[in-house]
């Protein structure tokens, strides 16, 4: 007996270490999953799982929103779900709180109206009319999908959500004033690409015409340090800036239409995929900074150039036609993003640059070993100054299957915190049946606290804190993957104990 006890106490720590940090829950919806969001609709501290899915047929497509609500203890069940078939007139969805209310509503937009549904007794009740408008540009003409657009948002940071509706070269913004919605209109920069074979009009007099429109990206930041945010709209090489008036309403005309000479000439049909701009106060001096990522080259000759133009150097001054970057770095690969976030929980914003490097040699190697390199470079500022070289780096090999022409291991995710210390951890697919979770330290280095989970791997794992315990949980779904699991998803609840 003593020998058995000794063996038990010797083995017990090993058993504890072998236990998973996650409880795995499997769910299924009737259609192909388009996306999943986590939203605390009733604001009870537990987030509902919102599943957007569709069923296609030769006759018509049907769209659904299924909501799974959590019991106390963050226990999701297949039976704890509500399904709404979305009428064909709607094309855009969003979530947010109505002015003066705490709970969130589901917002659905059609070509000329915005309606909302309330989450009451674990069901969506509606529709209720929010506002009417003349038209909106963003539409999905086939009616087979729903598009998420963060349009119902606190655009002027006054504590209440406004609704932005984009039209051609204009946007309507609805402000809630004196218990009713006030409609205003601002000019916005837009970009378009068209194809029409006019030189073949004799052979194809009624040929196809293709027109693609791009709405601008919007950012909120303080341009001049006066404590009031400006609205920045960036589209291609144009950056328009709008000021708030005393009533917190943006002026119809932009304060400045900026087109700084920070881009080389690029072919008009490819420039959209090559230029990424974002406006954020990365150095925390209460003035808006501009981050530009310019991608160039072919798949086997990749390069990117990332530049940061600081607000203190007055890049937003219309007279400054040729601003100089305060920080710049060149990459022999394509940079995704980059992303601005506090990686190591030191209250400073860091720069995170995921880099795909697939040159000719890497491509030839990938044909043999069935993987190609993917690295994530972290730049931690010192005294609000970014270093020239990365502070730390994650090297990951992404598994590929050239027989089916796709990646099988999935992209890494860097915005999760699995042990609740405020430091960004790492999750990535090791294979099509393995996901690796890695705890990182404040220096950005991987630690020995890791776990490999045997489960089907998605293209991109989705992480969120579902139960408010400051530890990330994992949602895995398999949209756009040829594995026969398009209606399946898995929820991995973090049990702690890291």
């Amino acid at each position: 007996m003593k020998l058995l006890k000794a063996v038990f106490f010797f083995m017990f720590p090993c058993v504890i270490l072998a236990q998973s940090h996650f409880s795995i829950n499997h769910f299924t919806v009737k259609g192909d999953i388009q996306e999943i969001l986590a939203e605390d609709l009733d604001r009870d501290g537990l987030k509902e799982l919102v599943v957007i899915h569709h069923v296609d047929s030769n006759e018509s497509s049907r769209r659904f929103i299924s909501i799974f609500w959590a019991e106390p203890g963050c226990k999701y069940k297949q039976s704890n779900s509500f399904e709404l078939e979305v009428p064909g007139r709607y094309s855009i969805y969003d979530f947010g709180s109505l002015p003066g209310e705490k709970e969130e509503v589901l917002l659905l937009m059609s070509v000329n109206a915005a309606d909302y549904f309330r989450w009451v007794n674990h069901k969506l009740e509606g529709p209720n009319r929010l506002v009417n408008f003349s038209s909106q540009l963003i539409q999905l003409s086939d009616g087979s999908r729903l598009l998420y657009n963060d349009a119902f948002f606190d655009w002027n940071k006054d504590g209440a959500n406004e609704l932005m509706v984009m039209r051609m070269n204009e946007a309507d913004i609805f402000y809630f004033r004196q218990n009713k919605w006030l409609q205003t209109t601002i000019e916005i920069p837009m970009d378009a690409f068209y194809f029409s074979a006019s030189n073949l009009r004799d052979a194809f007099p009624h040929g196809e015409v293709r027109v693609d429109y791009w709405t601008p990206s919007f950012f909120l930041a303080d341009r001049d340090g006066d404590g009031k945010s400006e609205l920045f709209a960036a589209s291609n090489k144009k950056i328009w800036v709008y000021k708030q008036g005393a009533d917190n309403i943006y002026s119809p005309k932009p304060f400045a239409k900026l087109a700084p000479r920070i881009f080389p000439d690029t072919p008009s049909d490819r420039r959209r995929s090559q230029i990424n701009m974002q406006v954020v106060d990365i150095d925390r001096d209460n003035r808006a900074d501009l981050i530009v990522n310019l991608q160039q080259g072919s798949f086997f000759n990749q390069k990117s150039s990332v530049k940061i133009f600081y607000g203190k150097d007055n890049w937003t001054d219309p007279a400054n036609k040729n601003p100089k970057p305060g920080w710049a770095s060149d990459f022999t690969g394509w940079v995704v993003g980059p992303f601005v976030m506090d990686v190591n929980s030191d209250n400073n914003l860091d720069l995170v640059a995921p880099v795909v490097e697939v040159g000719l040699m890497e491509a030839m190697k990938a044909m043999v070993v069935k993987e190609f390199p993917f690295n994530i470079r972290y730049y931690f500022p010192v005294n609000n100054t970014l270093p020239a070289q990365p502070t730390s780096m994650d090297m990951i090999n992404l598994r590929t299957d050239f027989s089916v022409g796709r990646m099988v291991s999935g992209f890494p995710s860097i915005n999760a915190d699995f042990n609740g210390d405020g430091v960004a951890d790492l999750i990535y697919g090791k294979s099509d049946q393995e996901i690796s979770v890695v705890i990182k330290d404040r220096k950005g280095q991987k630690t020995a606290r890791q776990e490999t989970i045997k489960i089907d791997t998605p293209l991109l794992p989705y992480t969120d804190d579902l139960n408010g315990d400051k530890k990330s949980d994992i949602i895995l779904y398999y949209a756009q993957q040829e594995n026969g699991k398009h209606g399946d998803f898995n929820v991995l609840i973090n049990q702690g104990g890291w």
Side-chain angles (χ1 to χ4, degrees):
M1 180 64 68
K2 291 183 179 180
L3 179 61
L4 290 176
K5 288 183 178 180
V7 171
F8 175 79
F9 286 112
F10 176 80
M11 292 295 296
F12 186 74
C14 299
V15 172
I16 295 297
L17 290 174
Q19 290 180 344
S20 173
H21 295 90
F22 299 91
S23 64
I24 301 176
N25 307 270
H26 178 75
F27 303 94
T28 303
V29 293
K30 70 172 66 173
D32 291 349
I33 296 175
Q34 178 182 329
E35 55 195 346
I36 299 179
L37 296 178
E39 295 286 338
D40 188 1
L41 298 177
D42 50 8
R43 298 295 175 91
D44 65 347
L46 302 177
K47 291 187 178 181
E48 282 71 44
L49 303 176
V50 182
V51 185
I52 313 298
H53 54 110
H54 54 86
V55 176
D56 296 331
S57 68
N58 294 331
E59 299 176 356
S60 63
S61 296
R62 303 170 63 192
R63 295 95 47 82
F64 302 89
I65 296 179
S66 292
I67 298 181
F68 293 75
W69 54 275
E71 293 180 344
C74 201
K75 297 178 181 179
Y76 295 94
K77 296 180 181 179
Q78 184 79 42
S79 58
N80 289 354
S81 65
F82 170 81
E83 182 180 270
L84 172 71
E85 183 167 0
V86 181
R89 65 181 180 274
Y90 297 119
S91 60
I92 292 176
Y93 76 95
D94 194 8
F95 293 92
S97 298
L98 298 176
E101 296 188 5
K102 176 183 177 182
E103 293 80 9
E104 290 192 356
V105 299
L106 164 67
L107 187 78
L108 290 174
M109 296 174 64
S110 66
V111 68
N112 53 18
D115 297 333
Y116 65 91
F117 291 72
R118 291 187 182 275
W119 181 246
V120 180
N121 295 324
H122 303 144
K123 295 182 180 180
L124 288 172
E125 295 185 354
N128 306 287
R129 182 55 45 88
L130 186 72
V131 295
N132 295 303
F133 39 80
S134 59
S135 65
Q136 69 157 325
L137 174 67
I138 305 175
Q139 292 292 311
L140 299 177
S141 58
D142 63 359
S144 63
R145 303 293 184 270
L146 276 175
L147 174 68
Y148 172 74
N149 183 32
D150 195 10
F152 194 45
F153 181 76
D154 186 3
W155 289 102
N156 58 2
K157 294 189 177 182
D158 66 349
N161 285 334
E162 291 80 36
L163 177 65
M164 179 183 290
V165 180
M166 277 178 279
R167 297 185 283 116
M168 182 60 69
N169 298 318
E170 292 181 328
D172 294 328
I173 303 180
F174 291 84
Y175 301 84
F176 197 70
R177 295 289 188 273
Q178 299 178 349
N179 295 320
K180 63 181 181 180
W181 291 97
L182 172 66
Q183 180 179 355
T184 66
T185 302
I186 65 172
E187 295 181 1
I188 59 174
M190 291 192 62
D191 197 17
F193 167 75
Y194 69 90
F195 173 79
S196 176
S198 57
N199 55 339
L200 299 177
R201 60 185 180 272
D202 292 337
F204 303 100
H206 310 293
E208 178 185 82
V209 175
R210 175 185 173 185
V211 182
D212 297 326
Y213 299 102
W214 290 273
T215 61
S217 297
F218 292 96
F219 305 92
L220 295 178
D222 189 348
R223 170 187 166 270
D224 48 13
D226 65 351
K228 181 172 286 191
S229 296
E230 276 77 31
L231 178 67
F232 292 78
S235 180
N236 192 19
K237 299 181 180 181
K238 301 182 290 287
I239 306 171
W240 292 7
V241 188
Y242 309 81
K243 281 188 172 183
Q244 295 184 47
D247 52 4
N248 292 330
I249 292 178
Y250 289 108
S251 59
K253 302 287 185 181
F255 156 77
K257 294 183 178 181
L258 306 175
R261 299 189 186 100
I262 56 179
F263 310 99
D265 293 334
T266 54
S268 59
D269 61 336
R270 298 191 59 179
R271 60 190 177 189
R272 289 296 308 186
S273 62
Q274 290 182 323
I275 296 174
N276 176 278
M277 293 187 294
Q278 53 186 305
V279 179
V280 63
D281 181 16
I282 190 172
D283 60 353
R284 296 288 180 91
D285 67 348
N286 298 318
R287 301 193 65 174
D289 308 314
L290 173 65
I291 303 177
V292 179
N293 175 18
L294 176 63
Q295 297 179 351
Q296 294 178 295
S298 66
F299 186 77
F300 297 116
N301 183 28
Q302 304 165 344
K303 56 182 178 178
S304 296
S305 177
V306 176
K307 299 179 181 179
I308 300 179
F309 300 84
Y310 291 110
K312 59 189 176 185
D313 296 328
N314 295 320
W315 70 269
T316 60
D317 185 352
N320 190 2
K321 301 295 184 181
N322 191 22
K324 304 299 181 183
W327 185 91
S329 184
D330 294 326
F331 301 83
T332 57
W334 283 337
V335 174
V336 181
F339 304 102
V340 177
M341 54 190 292
D342 184 3
V343 172
N344 55 352
S345 189
D346 64 351
N347 295 319
N348 292 315
L349 290 178
D350 311 306
L351 186 72
V352 184
V355 184
V356 180
E357 293 181 303
V358 185
L360 182 59
M361 295 301 298
E362 288 80 6
M364 295 175 62
K365 179 181 178 181
M367 295 291 290
V368 178
V369 300
K370 296 184 179 181
E371 61 186 28
F372 64 89
F374 184 87
N375 63 78
I376 306 173
R377 307 181 189 187
Y378 302 88
Y379 298 83
F380 296 169
V382 177
N383 297 325
N384 290 323
T385 300
L386 290 175
Q389 299 299 323
T391 309
S392 66
M393 184 183 304
D394 288 328
M395 300 293 296
I396 300 170
N397 290 322
L398 301 180
R399 299 286 297 175
T400 59
D401 186 345
F402 288 97
S403 64
V404 295
R406 66 179 179 88
M407 187 173 62
V408 297
S409 63
F411 282 101
S413 179
I414 56 174
N415 57 351
D417 178 10
F418 293 108
N419 62 336
D421 63 353
V423 176
D425 299 315
L426 180 67
I427 176 174
Y428 65 96
K430 296 180 66 175
S431 69
D432 59 346
Q433 293 290 322
E434 291 180 313
I435 291 178
S436 182
V437 174
V438 181
I439 304 298
K440 303 187 68 177
D441 61 24
R442 294 183 184 275
K443 295 181 180 180
Q445 302 297 321
K446 298 177 183 178
T447 70
R449 291 175 291 171
Q450 304 183 15
E451 180 180 347
T452 297
I453 306 168
K454 300 287 186 179
I455 198 167
D456 292 319
T457 303
L459 290 179
L460 182 64
Y462 172 36
T463 60
D464 204 318
D465 180 8
L466 299 177
N467 55 4
D469 64 354
K470 300 186 185 303
K471 299 179 182 64
S472 295
D473 308 290
I474 306 172
I475 302 173
L476 307 176
Y477 61 100
Y478 308 95
Q480 301 177 351
Q481 290 181 238
E482 300 175 359
N483 57 5
K485 301 180 181 295
H486 294 180
D488 296 349
F489 69 99
N490 294 297
V491 180
L492 282 61
I493 303 297
N494 194 339
Q495 303 297 301
W498 293 94

